[in-house]
């Protein structure tokens, strides 16, 4: 039955870990609090950065808007007007975003003023747009057509009097045509440049043209020519009235451009610059505050960390000292056991804590080693006997193998003798066959030689017979 042990060491360890965990918890809570504060500061810092970005974009887009308005005032084309409207839409989009983002600060108040100024700027542009449309209508519908008709009438009058040789009237008609063209030139310059000096030039030329037309009216009697003159004189007041209306529209446009568009545009830039300056100033203050809080947080975290580490080290030393001494003694006894000293005394077997439990386990281990040694001795004796029996069996098997090897050698020798005898018989047969073949070959050769000799003798006998017959005859 296991002996119950006291939980003193476990309790000490648990208390130590509890203290360390509590210290770490305090450290974590402090760090999280500081980080939460820093997170709020960084959120505010990010908001200020967004405010600065939006204000800069508004300032840039308002500058772009003013540029497009000036281009429209200079050209007055529908394409330029569309570009101005696009620029207004971009500014309005940024203002809407800024209104949602920037709240509860000096920049919010400045943004409200910028929105109001943008509305005034837009109203001013609408007025300018209507005035430019009116001016363009006067130019395209009245000034240009009327001026062209008067030029054509004076040209016809000049050509008619020239053909008839009335050079005095032709000269006056030519002078009036030149004055009319000069007046229209100044009108076009004014329309193009809005320079007020051209207005006085136009009015002076108008009076000059009227005086010349008066002289022509006194000397002309031809009905056709008077009809041409009448067309010119009828067109002059219409031309003058349209020009004066164009002057009024242009002057009013210039006034609105200066007093409303330029002024409100400049004020928008100023308000945006003030908002940007406010954001930068607040950013600097926030930057100093964040840096100060970061330094404070670093100091607090360092202090808490040092205290936590020191406390943990102290607790670890106390707990380790209380546990390591009996453990080291038990370890020494285990080392002696490992060296074969079975008589060593195991310290701490009477303790009622974890060290006592360890010492009891080592004592059990020592008893087990002793029993194991006894069993090993018995097993060794058994192994020696088994080895002797195995050696006798191996010797007997070896003798049997030698006898079997001898019989196998005798059988192989007998087989070799039979093989050698067969080889000798085979050699005798081969030798006999060779002798018979040589004799047959020799007989065949002699037969051939005898046949040749016989044929030679037959030939000689035949030749002798012929010679004998020849001698007889």
């Amino acid at each position: 039955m296991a002996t119950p042990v006291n939980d003193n060491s476990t309790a000490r360890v648990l208390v130590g870990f509890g203290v360390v965990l509590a210290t770490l918890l305090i450290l974590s809570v402090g760090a999280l609090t500081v980080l939460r504060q820093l997170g709020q500061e960084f959120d505010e810092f990010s908001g200020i950065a967004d405010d600065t970005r939006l204000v800069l974009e508004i300032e840039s887009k308002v500058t772009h808007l003013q540029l497009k308005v000036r281009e429209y005032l200079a050209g007055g084309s529908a394409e330029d007007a569309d570009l101005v409207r696009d620029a207004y839409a971009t500014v309005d989009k940024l203002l809407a975003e800024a209104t949602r983002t920037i709240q509860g600060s000096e920049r919010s108040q400045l943004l409200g003023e910028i929105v109001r100024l943008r509305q005034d700027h837009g109203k001013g542009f609408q007025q300018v747009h209507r005035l430019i449309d009116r001016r363009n209508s006067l130019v395209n519908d009245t000034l240009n057509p009327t001026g062209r008709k008067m030029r054509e009438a004076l040209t016809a009058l000049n050509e008619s009097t020239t053909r008839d040789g009335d050079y005095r009237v032709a000269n006056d008609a030519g002078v009036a045509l030149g004055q009319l063209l000069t007046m229209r030139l100044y009108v076009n310059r004014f329309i193009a440049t809005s320079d007020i000096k051209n207005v006085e030039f136009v009015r002076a030329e108008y009076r000059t043209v009227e005086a010349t037309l008066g002289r022509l009216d006194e000397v002309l009697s031809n009905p056709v020519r008077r009809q041409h003159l009448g067309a010119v004189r009828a067109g002059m007041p219409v031309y003058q009235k349209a020009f004066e209306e164009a002057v009024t529209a242009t002057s009013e446009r210039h006034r609105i451009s200066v007093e409303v568009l330029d002024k409100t545009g400049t004020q928008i830039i100023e308000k945006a610059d003030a908002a940007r300056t406010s954001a930068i100033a607040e950013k600097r203050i926030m930057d100093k505050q964040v840096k100060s809080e970061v330094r404070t947080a670093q100091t607090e975290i360092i202090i808490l960390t040092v205290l936590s580490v020191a406390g943990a080290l102290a607790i670890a030393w106390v707990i380790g000292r209380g546990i390591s001494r009996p453990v080291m003694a038990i370890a020494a006894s285990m080392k002696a056991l490992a060296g074969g000293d079975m008589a060593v005394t195991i310290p701490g077997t009477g303790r009622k804590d974890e060290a006592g439990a360890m010492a009891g386990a080592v004592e059990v281990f020592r008893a087990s080693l002793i029993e194991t040694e006894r069993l090993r001795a018995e097993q060794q004796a058994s192994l020696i006997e088994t080895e002797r029996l195995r050696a006798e069996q191996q010797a007997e098997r070896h003798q049997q193998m030698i006898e079997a090897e001898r019989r196998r050698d005798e059988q192989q020798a007998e087989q070799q003798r039979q093989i050698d005898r067969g080889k000798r018989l085979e050699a005798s047969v081969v030798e006999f066959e060779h002798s018979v073949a040589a004799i047959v070959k020799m007989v065949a050769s002699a037969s051939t030689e005898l046949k040749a000799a016989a044929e030679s003798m037959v030939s000689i006998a035949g030749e002798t017979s012929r010679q004998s017959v020849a001698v007889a005859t």
Side-chain angles (χ1 to χ4, degrees), residues 193-254:
T193 63
S194 301
D195 189 354
I196 199 66
K197 292 185 297 183
N198 291 306
V199 175
E200 296 302 323
F201 292 150
V202 172
R203 289 170 180 168
E205 289 297 327
Y206 180 84
R207 290 190 295 268
T208 303
V209 173
E210 282 288 352
T212 304
L213 293 176
R215 290 197 303 270
L216 286 171
D217 187 51
E218 293 175 356
V219 298
L220 284 176
S221 57
N222 185 300
V224 176
R225 295 172 184 171
R226 290 194 64 83
Q227 184 179 359
H228 291 316
L229 179 62
V232 176
R233 302 203 71 176
M236 286 295 288
V238 175
Y239 192 89
Q240 182 187 23
K241 181 180 179 182
F243 174 70
E244 293 298 335
E245 290 183 8
V247 171
T248 302
T250 302
S251 299
E252 182 65 13
R253 185 211 69 180
H254 179 71

Side-chain angles (χ1 to χ4, degrees), residues 319-385:
I319 294 175
R321 184 174 178 81
I323 296 174
S324 62
R325 291 178 66 185
V327 171
M328 291 297 292
I330 294 171
S333 63
M334 291 182 68
K335 185 176 181 181
L337 284 174
D341 185 5
M342 301 300 176
V344 66
T345 301
I346 308 301
T349 54
R351 293 173 64 98
K352 302 299 182 181
D353 56 4
E354 290 84 351
M358 291 176 62
V362 174
E363 178 63 27
V364 172
F365 177 68
R366 186 179 74 86
S368 298
L369 285 177
I370 294 172
E371 180 65 18
T372 301
E373 188 64 26
R374 184 185 65 77
L375 293 175
R376 186 177 0 224
E378 294 179 357
Q379 185 179 15
Q380 186 68 26
S382 176
L383 287 174
I384 292 172
E385 180 64 19

Side-chain angles (χ1 to χ4, degrees), residues 139-361:
V139 171
N140 296 325
D141 299 338
T142 303
L143 291 175
N144 287 342
T146 303
R148 184 169 56 254
K149 289 177 181 180
M150 290 191 298
R151 178 181 59 78
E152 293 172 352
L154 286 174
T155 301
L157 178 60
N158 179 263
E159 292 175 351
S160 174
T161 53
T162 301
R163 282 195 306 269
D164 293 342
D166 191 352
Y167 296 111
R168 178 174 175 275
V169 176
N171 180 67
D172 289 340
V175 170
L177 179 60
Q179 293 169 347
L180 175 65
L181 293 175
T182 303
M183 180 182 70
R184 291 189 65 193
L185 176 63
Y186 286 127
V187 169
N188 290 333
R189 285 182 179 177
F190 173 73
I191 296 300
T193 63
S194 301
D195 189 354
I196 199 66
K197 292 185 297 183
N198 291 306
V199 175
E200 296 302 323
F201 292 150
V202 172
R203 289 170 180 168
E205 289 297 327
Y206 180 84
R207 290 190 295 268
T208 303
V209 173
E210 282 288 352
T212 304
L213 293 176
R215 290 197 303 270
L216 286 171
D217 187 51
E218 293 175 356
V219 298
L220 284 176
S221 57
N222 185 300
V224 176
R225 295 172 184 171
R226 290 194 64 83
Q227 184 179 359
H228 291 316
L229 179 62
V232 176
R233 302 203 71 176
M236 286 295 288
V238 175
Y239 192 89
Q240 182 187 23
K241 181 180 179 182
F243 174 70
E244 293 298 335
E245 290 183 8
V247 171
T248 302
T250 302
S251 299
E252 182 65 13
R253 185 211 69 180
H254 179 71
R255 183 190 67 79
I256 295 174
S257 175
V258 173
E259 296 180 2
V260 178
L261 296 182
D262 291 347
K263 184 177 180 180
T264 54
T266 302
Q267 289 176 342
I268 290 174
I269 297 296
E270 291 175 352
K271 298 296 182 182
D273 186 67
R276 179 168 57 85
T277 302
S278 172
I280 292 173
E282 189 171 346
K283 175 178 173 295
R284 289 174 180 171
I285 295 173
M286 184 67 67
D287 186 43
K288 293 180 180 179
Q289 183 177 352
V290 169
K291 288 181 179 179
S292 175
E293 292 184 359
V294 168
R295 287 193 295 268
T296 302
Q298 289 176 341
T299 303
E300 293 176 355
I301 291 174
I302 290 172
I303 293 174
L304 289 175
T305 302
V306 170
L307 292 176
S308 299
V309 172
L313 290 175
I315 293 171
W317 183 81
V318 172
I319 294 175
R321 184 174 178 81
I323 296 174
S324 62
R325 291 178 66 185
V327 171
M328 291 297 292
I330 294 171
S333 63
M334 291 182 68
K335 185 176 181 181
L337 284 174
D341 185 5
M342 301 300 176
V344 66
T345 301
I346 308 301
T349 54
R351 293 173 64 98
K352 302 299 182 181
D353 56 4
E354 290 84 351
M358 291 176 62

